[in-house]
Amino acid sequence: MVALGSLWLPILLSSVLVWIASALVWTVMPHHKSDWKPVSDEAAARSALKNHPPGQYSIPYAATQAAMKDPDFVRKTEEGPNAYVTVVPSGQIAMGGKMAGSFVYNLAVGVVVAYLASRTVSAGAEYLTVFRVTGTTAWLAYSFAIIPDAIWFGRPWSTTTKTMLDGLAYALLTAGTFGWLWPGA
């Protein structure tokens, strides 16, 4: 067993590397450019959503299972459109807070990866052993939580797959960092 405190450097360094890689993925790489599409009448959509506070909305909406059986609701779902909408606060997007939040998330993933590895991989373990455990754990953390959004909420599978491949790249960076900086015996 490895002391969790002895893994502070791979936690921190992998978080920085993933943060940089994520910034490059979203600002330089072209593969996410097709993830978002415009609505057919943006002005009408903006007008319809103007007074809604930030939150998640469903169109059509049914508050209960019984309401989902109401003929009017059924008709609306059959006619469409059916949508899940997330409304965010108005104003300029505060990138600083989002970037800081992303880094904190990377740190949290690093801590979970370190915890699991520290309990399952001994000090002085071979690079590939550390790489496998930490890489698998990191890939689970960075990728698999988005699958239910594709299953339940219509997130396109193409977008989900691209995001999971991004997560694989982040996991490989994490695994390489932990393998490189793993404590000796």
Side-chain angles (χ1 to χ4, degrees):
M1 198 154 73
V2 173
L4 188 59
S6 69
L7 299 175
W8 69 269
L9 185 57
I11 292 169
L12 185 60
L13 184 58
S14 67
S15 298
V16 169
L17 292 174
V18 168
W19 188 84
I20 291 168
S22 178
L24 291 173
V25 161
W26 285 98
T27 60
V28 177
M29 302 293 291
H31 65 285
H32 284 291
K33 302 291 186 224
S34 63
D35 289 356
W36 300 92
K37 296 171 180 47
V39 295
S40 60
D41 187 348
E42 183 177 325
R46 291 181 69 237
S47 178
L49 295 171
K50 186 156 187 74
N51 294 319
H52 283 78
Q56 293 181 318
Y57 299 91
S58 175
I59 304 168
Y61 175 74
T64 65
Q65 295 244 343
M68 293 177 87
K69 295 175 184 170
D70 178 88
D72 189 47
F73 177 81
V74 172
R75 178 188 54 76
K76 288 177 184 177
T77 61
E78 289 172 355
E79 289 176 357
N82 301 313
Y84 300 105
V85 178
T86 302
V87 176
V88 297
S90 297
Q92 286 292 97
I93 297 172
M95 292 302 289
K98 293 186 183 308
M99 292 168 73
S102 179
F103 183 72
V104 169
Y105 173 71
N106 296 343
L107 280 173
V109 169
V111 168
V112 169
V113 167
Y115 173 77
L116 183 65
S118 72
R119 298 303 176 255
T120 59
V121 181
S122 60
E126 292 183 13
Y127 175 90
L128 192 54
T129 300
V130 176
F131 188 93
R132 285 180 183 141
V133 171
T134 58
T136 301
T137 306
W139 195 33
L140 288 169
Y142 284 122
S143 295
F144 284 77
I146 64 167
I147 292 174
D149 283 349
I151 294 169
W152 289 98
F153 301 111
R155 179 186 180 122
W157 280 101
S158 60
T159 302
T160 301
T161 301
K162 288 184 278 187
T163 303
M164 290 181 72
L165 290 173
D166 296 343
L168 178 59
Y170 307 152
L172 294 173
L173 286 169
T174 302
T177 303
F178 273 86
W180 170 45
L181 297 172
W182 194 252

